[in-house]
């Protein structure tokens, strides 16, 4: 997609990401663009064999095996395994679209975590759903019963959250799930960034199934590995979900490529065999480079001290906002503004930017150096 | 996707296709499942190099080159090239979903070709759009001004059509486009099966641009080549389309995999270098096997005598309908019923089935033999 140039204030985040796709230093989108590790390179060298394997195996077994390997690698052992319970999608956003369409007939108001990536509110609103913001702080420690308005028919939580990295802890998930069961709310989780943070890898399904609430979970291989966006989103729903998820799914797709399923399985096995620790070290190293390079600049700080996901928020002096973007873009460096993540109150994101960390060390170092120079200049 | 068993009457076509995915003889879905040709095998052997190329090239150039190669291979030289005019999607159905969402705010009633594959009416209805059937015969030779109701705000035509293979001829496209310009109707074309029929490869964009109507075209690489569903759908729209297509697109995706774009380009080049003739011969051969095997069975005929697409309708004695499916499924042979294609009048499809031809010769021969035995039995 080539695109005309929207302003940083009115464009959505994905439109701003397009601008960065061909930039010298693109630290805008959250896709995985770091280099392949040595063991990942060996998987890529083996692609012709993988193609033959995917062509020869019964699709049902191949899909079941890929789903199981992926989910259990990230600690999800008790996911539902009945017919139509795990649907493979082209991407997590396609899973999101199917979920939104499935909700639209039944639910009027969605309680949506705030802040979060803006395509989630956009997709939900596009289906005519009303949104009410649910603050991260409420989910983390507030009075849920008082804080979730009575009109909420579905509650949508991104965990770990994008851009903050905030993880919904197990005891809080249990409380949220109980509230949802009591009020017959559909609990929706987007766990796309789970792979980056062991604290988000407790078995969510064990909690959800024990409580017995209606739920939908969006799982995603897309943020983790530099597979050139060969990825799978999974739409997992409870037996009792009571939404036409498989019917809507069948309007959009018959299934994903068995080649991609086989590839995701191989990358998940590699992750289980040490690749995940390597990935965490890489992201932590990039985070350190960014923080150290920007250390000591007046008015600059890192609000998500404990975040482990592949994006990092940087708080900047409020006055530097739009000027900052212009000056960075002149150096061909692209980051995302914070405004659009605060979908219910953009002003609150005015003094933050988001820097992607799933890049080579060199790209993050170059972005950090330019940021430092622009913030000091 | 594993799935529970819906009846052949109430299920949608994609749900019936799922049942066939693991069948011994799956001639249900229209995906390309024939064997790779010798030159295609060489592309697959070269996948690691292709991955490296896709990783190293600027995305914008790679995408532009893949789109150009694909479109011009099929005779589409005058497609619009401005910003956001050709958007690469995960699949043609994702392009369809984006189109439906883009129409929903502006258009109330869509005139939709009848019959056609049922996910098109399902996706449009799912967005709250009203549908009115436009018969193939009207498009082919009728009085368009009288036949297209005044309330129609968008006109959707599948050409070549699925399942009939009917091609909208150049002079008829021109008349349709003129009507659309006069009435300010958005003309929507789905040309996913174009690759199978040279008669559908005249330059549609030259006609549309000369007339100057508002238009959207869905192009698709997905039906042609046995790439294990590694594919691209393209959503092409005119400068004057007046719909929020790029905005809706950016809610759903940032872009497709550069690896898939590079692969589609290689397969398109192979098609231009003789692969397309080879594909046409393969499909024609499979069609011949089917027709010859079923020749002489009382009440059996082929209503789409001149069809060249990769699916074939077979007219069967009316009484044999649902019994036929049960008996075929007992032999693990899956075809699609005609009912659901006739989305506005299912009864008219009662006495046809659809057999997929993009399979190995052996699969089509086995399906044809079973069909013969069941129809005679």
């Amino acid at each position: 997609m080539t695109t005309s140039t929207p302003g940083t204030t009115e464009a959505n985040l994905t439109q701003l990401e397009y601008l960065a796709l061909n930039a010298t230093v693109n630290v805008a989108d959250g896709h995985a663009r770091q280099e392949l590790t040595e063991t990942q390179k060996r998987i890529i060298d083996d692609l012709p064999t993988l193609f033959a394997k995917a062509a020869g195996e019964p699709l049902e077994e191949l899909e079941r095996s890929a789903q199981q390997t992926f989910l259990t690698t990230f600690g999800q052992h008790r996911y539902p395994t009945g017919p139509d319970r795990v649907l493979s999608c082209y991407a997590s956003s396609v899973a999101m679209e199917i979920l939104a369409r499935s909700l639209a007939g039944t639910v009027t108001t969605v309680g949506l975590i705030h802040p979060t990536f803006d395509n989630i509110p956009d997709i939900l609103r596009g289906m005519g759903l009303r949104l009410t913001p649910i603050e991260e702080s409420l989910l983390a420690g507030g009075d849920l019963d008082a804080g979730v308005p009575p009109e909420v028919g579905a509650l949508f939580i991104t965990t770990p959250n994008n851009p903050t990295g905030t993880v919904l802890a197990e005891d809080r998930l249990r409380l949220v799930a109980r509230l949802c069961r009591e009020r017959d709310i559909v609990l929706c989780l987007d766990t796309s960034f789970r792979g980056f943070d062991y604290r988000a890898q407790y078995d969510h399904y064990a909690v959800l199934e024990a409580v017995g609430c209606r739920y939908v979970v969006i799982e995603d291989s897309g943020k983790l590995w530099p597979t050139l966006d060969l990825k799978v989103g999974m739409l997992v729903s409870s037996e009792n979900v009571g939404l036409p998820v498989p019917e809507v799914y069948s309007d959009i797709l018959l299934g994903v490529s068995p080649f991609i399923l086989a590839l995701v399985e191989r990358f998940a096995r590699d992750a289980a065999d040490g690749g995940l620790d390597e990935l965490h070290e890489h992201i932590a190293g990039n985070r350190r480079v960014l923080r150290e390079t920007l250390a000591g600049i007046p008015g600059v700080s890192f609000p998500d001290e404990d975040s482990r996901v592949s994006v990092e928020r940087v708080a900047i002096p409020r006055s530097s906002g739009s000027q900052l973007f212009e000056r960075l873009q002149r150096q061909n460096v692209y980051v995302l503004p914070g405004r659009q993540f605060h979908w219910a109150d953009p002003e609150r994101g005015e003094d933050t930017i988001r820097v992607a960390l799933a890049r080579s060390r060199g790209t993050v170092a170059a972005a950090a150096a330019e940021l430092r120079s622009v913030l000091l200049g």
Side-chain angles (χ1 to χ4, degrees), chain A:
Chain A
M1 167 156 174
T2 50
T3 191
S4 40
T5 308
T8 45
T9 305
E10 67 270 25
N12 73 34
L13 293 167
T14 308
Q15 289 173 315
L16 296 174
E17 289 175 352
Y18 292 133
L19 298 177
L21 281 179
N22 297 287
T24 322
V25 184
N26 164 17
V27 285
D29 67 65
H31 293 231
R33 301 183 189 282
Q34 68 274 27
E35 282 154 22
L36 292 161
T37 66
E38 287 309 311
T39 51
Q40 288 172 343
K41 273 183 201 157
R42 287 206 282 278
I43 301 175
I44 299 303
D45 287 343
D46 204 31
L47 287 185
T49 315
L50 203 69
F51 191 96
K53 173 188 141 80
E57 246 178 57
L59 181 62
E60 199 169 324
E61 282 167 39
L62 193 144
E63 184 168 28
R64 198 185 305 124
S65 169
Q67 289 171 347
Q68 185 182 12
T69 304
F70 182 83
L71 291 168
T72 57
T73 292
F74 299 106
Q76 308 307 303
H77 301 280
R78 300 280 293 278
Y79 70 91
T81 54
D84 298 343
R85 298 274 66 86
V86 185
L87 301 174
S88 305
C89 303
Y90 299 125
S92 62
S93 57
V94 173
M96 181 67 216
E97 173 78 3
I98 293 167
L99 168 59
R101 284 186 60 150
S102 304
L103 286 171
T106 327
V107 163
T108 310
T109 302
V110 178
L112 174 61
I113 191 167
H114 191 246
T116 203
F117 199 84
D118 70 350
N119 82 324
I120 298 176
D122 286 350
I123 286 177
L124 292 167
R125 283 187 185 128
M127 286 310 303
L129 292 155
R130 259 180 257 154
L131 301 183
T132 186
I134 304 291
E135 296 295 332
E136 261 190 11
S137 54
L138 176 76
L139 295 168
D143 178 345
L144 292 167
D145 193 42
V148 176
E151 68 272 20
V152 164
L155 181 57
F156 193 104
I157 301 171
T158 315
T159 174
N161 200 10
N162 176 5
T164 62
T166 305
V167 174
L168 188 68
E170 182 166 354
D171 61 327
R172 295 300 294 180
L173 174 63
R174 190 171 293 112
L175 291 178
V176 170
R178 283 185 188 151
L179 180 81
C180 289
R181 191 198 50 202
E182 277 159 29
R183 298 210 202 151
D184 198 30
I185 293 171
V186 183
L187 178 54
C188 308
L189 302 179
D190 178 345
T191 64
S192 296
F193 283 85
R194 157 148 63 207
F196 294 105
D197 195 332
Y198 285 122
R199 297 167 304 181
Q201 293 178 27
Y202 63 87
D203 192 344
H204 289 50
Y205 297 98
V207 175
L208 297 169
E209 290 287 340
V211 172
C213 67
R214 299 160 69 197
Y215 68 82
V216 179
V217 182
I218 295 173
E219 305 273 358
D220 185 18
S221 84
K223 306 296 185 289
L224 294 167
W225 306 307
T227 51
L228 297 180
D229 280 333
L230 298 171
K231 59 189 174 185
V232 148
M234 294 172 200
L235 190 56
V236 188
S237 55
S238 59
E239 287 285 350
N240 65 353
V241 71
L243 298 174
V245 178
E247 291 75 14
V248 173
Y249 177 87
S250 75
D251 283 344
I252 311 284
L253 68 163
L254 176 62
V256 301
S257 167
F259 175 77
I260 296 180
L261 287 168
L263 185 74
V264 165
E265 174 159 7
R266 286 288 295 275
F267 271 78
R269 280 197 205 289
D270 179 71
D273 292 345
L276 201 53
D277 287 333
E278 209 172 336
L279 175 64
H280 290 186
E281 280 161 31
H282 180 72
I283 298 296
N286 281 352
R287 178 168 271 117
R288 209 159 38 234
V289 164
L290 180 69
R291 290 186 180 180
E292 285 174 4
T293 308
L294 301 185
I297 302 176
V300 169
S301 64
F302 303 93
D304 309 312
E305 207 183 336
D306 207 25
S307 171
R308 301 194 191 160
V309 297
S310 62
V311 295
E312 172 82 345
R313 282 199 304 170
V314 181
I316 53 171
R318 177 162 278 258
S319 57
S320 57
S322 64
Q323 212 193 354
L324 178 75
F325 286 96
E326 272 168 44
R327 291 174 60 197
L328 280 173
Q329 289 182 12
R330 242 177 283 145
Q331 307 302 318
N332 224 347
V333 175
Y334 285 78
V335 301
L336 287 187
R339 280 185 69 87
Q340 287 87 331
F341 290 95
H342 290 265
W343 55 270
D345 187 6
E347 278 302 306
R348 278 170 54 193
E350 190 61 32
D351 56 352
T352 54
I353 59 172
R354 194 195 77 169
V355 179
L357 300 177
R359 298 294 188 273
S360 71
R361 186 64 41 90
T363 298
V364 172
E370 282 296 347
L371 257 172
R372 179 176 181 83
S373 135
V374 167
L375 283 164
L376 284 174

